[in-house]
């Protein structure tokens, strides 16, 4: 408002825009909001630890296409899927390891926001015996192996950055916002 108490042109324009927006049908308003909002892809990953290993322990890593580095099991959640259920599903699909979603412990932190890539990983942890047979999906996974925490192979950059949040891998202690 101006000092005389009258609305400014900008304020009137803004008021007209809001009134027009709220006259639109709900489905159109929802679409407009979604078009203007930042969108993130939501994934779920699992840090799988060897239940029988002595410290420093071992974790399960996968070599997947297209890159040469190693990563942890995970994937994109289906619409409406609970993160723990998605993590359990991806773990079973990629490795043959079947666990109930309730057995997955939320990582601390549980969500890693990768702002540069505009995706969020929900992180879970589980311990399973390494001598259980792995059944890899050869379409998604070239190789799966257990690695000691102090002798990890070359990791993919996103995996190294994610594991750094848990003080694992070459970037341990260097976790920062992605």
């Amino acid at each position: 408002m101006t000092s005389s108490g009258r609305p400014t042109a900008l304020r009137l324009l803004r008021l007209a825009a809001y009134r027009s927006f709220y006259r639109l049908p709900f489905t159109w308003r929802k679409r407009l909001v979604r078009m203007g909002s930042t969108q993130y892809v939501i994934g779920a990953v699992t840090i799988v630890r060897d239940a029988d290993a002595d410290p420093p322990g071992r974790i399960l890593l996968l070599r997947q296409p297209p890159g040469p580095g190693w990563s942890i099991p995970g994937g994109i959640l289906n619409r409406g899927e609970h993160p723990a259920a998605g993590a359990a599903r991806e773990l079973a699909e990629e490795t043959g390891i079947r666990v109930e979603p309730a057995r997955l412990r939320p990582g601390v932190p549980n969500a890693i926001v990768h702002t540069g890539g505009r995706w969020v990983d929900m992180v879970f942890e589980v311990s399973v015996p390494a001598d259980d047979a792995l059944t890899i999906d050869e379409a998604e996974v070239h190789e799966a192996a257990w690695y000691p925490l102090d002798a990890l192979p070359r990791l993919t950059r996103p995996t190294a950055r994610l594991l750094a949040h848990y003080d694992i891998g070459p970037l341990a202690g260097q976790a920062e916002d992605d």
Side-chain angles (χ1 to χ4, degrees):
M1 293 209 176
T2 62
S3 58
S4 64
R6 295 190 319 182
T8 62
L10 184 59
R11 188 173 190 287
L12 287 174
L13 181 61
R14 186 171 179 235
L15 182 61
Y18 271 100
R19 284 183 178 161
S20 296
F21 176 78
Y22 284 111
R23 286 187 184 129
L24 294 172
F26 175 75
T27 55
W28 291 15
R29 290 193 320 251
K30 190 165 112 177
R31 282 189 186 148
L32 285 171
V33 168
R34 283 189 177 164
M35 285 175 31
S37 300
T38 303
Q39 295 184 2
Y40 283 84
V41 173
I42 309 295
V45 298
T46 306
I47 299 170
V48 183
R49 297 178 184 273
D50 179 359
D52 299 327
D54 289 327
R58 299 189 310 170
I59 61 171
L60 179 64
L61 294 174
L62 310 176
R63 196 171 56 79
Q64 299 175 288
W70 292 75
S71 61
I72 57 177
I76 296 172
L77 293 177
N78 294 325
R79 184 176 292 277
E81 185 175 34
H82 188 278
R89 175 183 53 77
E90 286 290 341
L91 182 61
E93 286 175 5
E94 294 178 352
T95 68
I97 296 172
R98 300 196 181 285
V99 296
E100 290 297 318
R103 274 197 56 207
L104 297 175
R105 298 178 308 276
V108 178
N110 184 227
I112 304 296
V113 179
H114 306 276
T115 54
R118 296 188 0 168
W119 82 88
V120 177
D121 277 325
M122 302 301 296
V123 183
F124 296 90
E125 296 187 58
V126 69
S127 294
V128 298
D131 56 356
D132 286 356
L134 296 175
T135 309
I136 62 171
D137 175 359
E138 293 178 0
E140 285 188 65
V141 179
H142 292 308
E143 187 177 359
W146 293 94
Y147 283 94
L149 293 177
D150 58 358
L152 297 177
R154 178 175 174 221
L155 302 172
T156 64
R157 183 78 177 148
T159 298
R161 293 171 98 181
L162 184 140
L163 290 175
H165 289 274
Y166 306 92
D167 289 325
I168 299 172
L171 302 177
Q174 302 176 32
E176 56 186 57
D177 293 332
D178 294 317

